[in-house]
Amino acid sequence: MVDLRAAEVLRQQARGASREAALRFASAVFPESMSAAIALGEQFLETANEAATRYGDDASCPFEGLQWAAACDPSIVRDGLTFVKHIRQFHERMKLTPAPALLQVPGYFKGSPWTVIGHEAEVPWPARAEKMDYELEIGWVIGRTAHDITPETARSHLFGVTIFNDFSARDLQANEFAIGMGPTKSKDFAYGIGPWITTIDEFSRLDRIRMAVRVNGETWGEGDTSEMLWSIDELIAYVSLGDHVQPGDVIGSGTMGNGSALELGRSLNPGDVVELEVSGVGVLRNRMGQRQQGTWWPTARKPFM
């Protein structure tokens, strides 16, 4: 692992800058926020490459013992629904009929950015939840502001690929479906993003990316990105309509077919270790936490008169 800020300080000092000036410059190019760094555009990537190439060995440390932050800090979480097999199997398990609107627009929901967690982080178990699930997804990382763009130009707004785990409390989700306003407490407790971002130039194709999920070392699902109802270009373009997608925002691809425990008739237990693997990115690993006890919960009201 290369500490880019430390490497850039060494590079600037070698060019004659004082340590204080070098640190100010390095902190501007490599801020604490990955989203802010991505927003710098080519300057961020060019400086990162230069610093790592010249001084990476002097500013590196082993992976062992690192505490991982989330790979990105999006301004808002967005998660799509684009894999045909998952859509079909999810609705079968939930005893629902797929809405015709799924064939008309690329559906997605918005989630809290404050519950994003990274590689090796423990997943908090939300109040009142019993049936916990993972969801194996690609995280499409936005590279520059997108507003009212088209699918033809969407790819130029894509910075890279990460792994996205849309943890879900299925029993809470079923109740929220009945309200019809989208998921809230069934989702906004943990979104796994990591372990890092692979830049988009490393992928020759985005519709053949292999994916797999393991629970406690046992493979529970495998597949790839070939079975998408809506392309990534269409999804990004649709999200941008009337909205302003920001650098560093992460848009979930939707769950791969057989990419959730629900589709298998299974669920997670406290202490389970979930590993999502995406070819070209790596493995995002998280352990399920213990059930919350004694958390406040609303009292049901009397029926409407």
Side-chain angles (χ1 to χ4, degrees), residues 66-134:
L66 290 179
Q67 182 175 350
W68 295 81
C72 206
D73 51 326
S75 64
I76 190 169
V77 172
R78 296 179 179 89
D79 191 15
L81 187 61
T82 61
F83 285 87
V84 176
K85 182 185 290 186
H86 174 74
I87 292 173
R88 185 180 66 251
Q89 295 182 158
F90 172 85
H91 284 81
E92 288 173 354
R93 288 286 182 179
M94 299 292 279
K95 294 179 170 46
L96 299 170
T97 300
L102 287 168
L103 303 175
Q104 299 168 3
V105 296
Y108 71 97
F109 74 88
K110 294 179 180 179
S112 170
W114 304 108
T115 55
V116 168
I117 61 174
H119 181 58
E120 299 286 10
E122 183 175 272
V123 181
W125 195 288
R128 293 296 180 101
E130 293 294 333
K131 296 181 179 179
M132 290 290 289
D133 203 352
Y134 57 82

Side-chain angles (χ1 to χ4, degrees), residues 9-281:
V9 167
L10 293 175
R11 188 171 81 96
Q12 292 300 322
Q13 286 183 301
R15 300 173 68 181
S18 67
R19 176 166 177 78
E20 182 180 354
L23 184 58
R24 282 201 305 270
F25 181 84
S27 298
V29 180
F30 303 118
E32 295 292 335
S33 164
M34 177 60 80
S35 294
I38 292 173
L40 293 172
E42 289 300 319
Q43 181 182 4
F44 165 56
L45 290 176
E46 291 171 0
T47 307
N49 182 62
E50 186 75 15
T53 299
R54 295 197 176 191
Y55 294 95
D57 289 343
D58 297 323
S60 64
C61 64
F63 282 122
E64 291 75 16
L66 290 179
Q67 182 175 350
W68 295 81
C72 206
D73 51 326
S75 64
I76 190 169
V77 172
R78 296 179 179 89
D79 191 15
L81 187 61
T82 61
F83 285 87
V84 176
K85 182 185 290 186
H86 174 74
I87 292 173
R88 185 180 66 251
Q89 295 182 158
F90 172 85
H91 284 81
E92 288 173 354
R93 288 286 182 179
M94 299 292 279
K95 294 179 170 46
L96 299 170
T97 300
L102 287 168
L103 303 175
Q104 299 168 3
V105 296
Y108 71 97
F109 74 88
K110 294 179 180 179
S112 170
W114 304 108
T115 55
V116 168
I117 61 174
H119 181 58
E120 299 286 10
E122 183 175 272
V123 181
W125 195 288
R128 293 296 180 101
E130 293 294 333
K131 296 181 179 179
M132 290 290 289
D133 203 352
Y134 57 82
E135 299 204 42
L136 171 58
E137 304 189 28
I138 296 284
W140 307 114
V141 183
I142 301 300
R144 58 193 182 94
T145 302
H147 174 62
D148 285 343
I149 64 173
T150 66
E152 290 71 29
T153 61
R155 193 66 60 91
S156 67
H157 292 262
L158 195 54
F159 176 81
V161 175
T162 189
I163 305 174
F164 184 78
N165 196 337
D166 170 32
F167 291 100
S168 302
R170 296 302 188 189
D171 44 342
L172 301 184
Q173 185 180 31
N175 191 47
E176 291 171 354
F177 273 158
I179 298 175
M181 296 183 70
T184 52
K185 300 310 170 191
S186 65
K187 299 282 189 178
D188 282 342
F189 59 91
Y191 299 100
I193 298 178
W196 45 62
I197 303 167
T198 301
T199 51
I200 200 66
D201 58 292
E202 297 290 337
F203 294 87
S204 59
R205 298 185 64 168
L206 299 182
D207 60 350
R208 291 291 187 275
I209 302 175
R210 295 289 304 170
M211 306 164 71
V213 56
R214 294 181 293 275
V215 178
N216 300 327
E218 177 188 358
T219 299
W220 281 22
E222 294 179 295
D224 59 37
T225 55
S226 62
E227 198 194 19
M228 298 183 72
L229 179 64
W230 301 96
S231 70
I232 175 53
D233 308 289
E234 292 169 318
L235 179 58
I236 293 177
Y238 183 70
V239 170
S240 80
L241 294 181
D243 204 347
H244 297 263
V245 187
Q246 299 301 307
D249 280 358
V250 178
I251 302 175
S253 65
T255 307
M256 178 199 76
N258 291 335
S260 65
L262 172 73
E263 296 170 76
L264 310 176
R266 307 176 77 165
S267 60
L268 297 172
N269 294 304
D272 282 349
V273 176
V274 180
E275 294 179 306
L276 304 189
E277 183 170 4
V278 173
S279 178
V281 182

